[in-house]
Amino acid sequence: MARHISRPKRTAAPALTADSPCPCGLPATYGECCGRFHSGEESAPTAEHLMRSRYSAFAVQDAAYLLRTWHASTRPRHLELDPAMHWASLEIEETTDGSAFHVKGTVTFRARYRHHGKRGELYERSNFQRQNGMWVYVDGTFIDGT
């Protein structure tokens, strides 16, 4: 006689709250860090903060924020995020310019993810510039990590 072993049901990851650790990796809560940018309460003060907040927006599936912080000349009309993509960590490798005193900046980063159970990494140098006084993402170049 075959036995049926029941497996525990998988539960969804707990929802991100203002008190959750921020997905961008800085030692602050989501509400104190990237959440304030996502809500529109504040704008990212540097290119690196914008990079981190955009990473967090991918992590929380906030397509509206991503579109709002994309340069008008390179922004897609629509953005559909894959719910199977789970962003795991962000590592900033280098920033060039991008402070409150600059109009352009670059951020080189590694973003690790899991997609359908497989691990992957996005290694990119992103270009940012100020548009109407706010930092926006312009474009990026993938870097061969080998």
Side-chain angles (χ1 to χ4, degrees):
M1 177 176 236
R3 259 195 221 174
H4 176 69
I5 299 174
S6 64
R7 294 184 182 164
K9 289 185 179 179
R10 294 184 103 185
T11 57
L16 190 67
T17 68
D19 295 327
S20 300
C22 193
C24 82
L26 289 177
T29 65
Y30 173 68
E32 295 168 335
C33 197
C34 294
R36 63 194 165 125
F37 305 136
H38 294 174
S39 70
E41 182 181 324
E42 294 181 41
S43 297
T46 66
E48 181 179 333
H49 275 93
L50 182 62
M51 173 62 240
R52 288 180 177 280
S53 68
R54 286 178 56 84
Y55 168 85
S56 291
F58 277 104
V60 301
Q61 302 277 306
D62 188 346
Y65 179 78
L66 292 165
L67 290 169
R68 191 168 68 243
T69 58
W70 210 313
H71 194 279
S73 69
T74 57
R75 179 177 47 233
R77 289 181 188 256
H78 304 285
L79 182 63
E80 290 187 36
L81 300 177
D82 185 348
M85 184 69 84
H86 298 282
W87 294 95
S89 67
L90 175 66
E91 177 186 342
I92 304 294
E93 289 199 347
E94 180 182 25
T95 60
T96 304
D97 298 333
S99 77
F101 303 104
H102 298 105
V103 293
K104 291 184 179 183
T106 63
V107 179
T108 303
F109 68 93
R110 292 177 187 267
R112 292 171 185 87
Y113 61 86
R114 291 185 71 87
H115 188 248
H116 295 292
K118 294 184 180 182
R119 292 177 191 213
E121 180 181 84
L122 173 64
Y123 189 19
E124 180 179 310
R125 181 173 296 109
S126 293
N127 298 301
F128 298 90
Q129 87 181 54
R130 286 189 185 269
Q131 184 179 41
N132 300 321
M134 294 176 36
W135 284 107
V136 291
Y137 170 78
V138 178
D139 59 19
T141 304
F142 296 120
I143 301 170
D144 182 6
T146 57

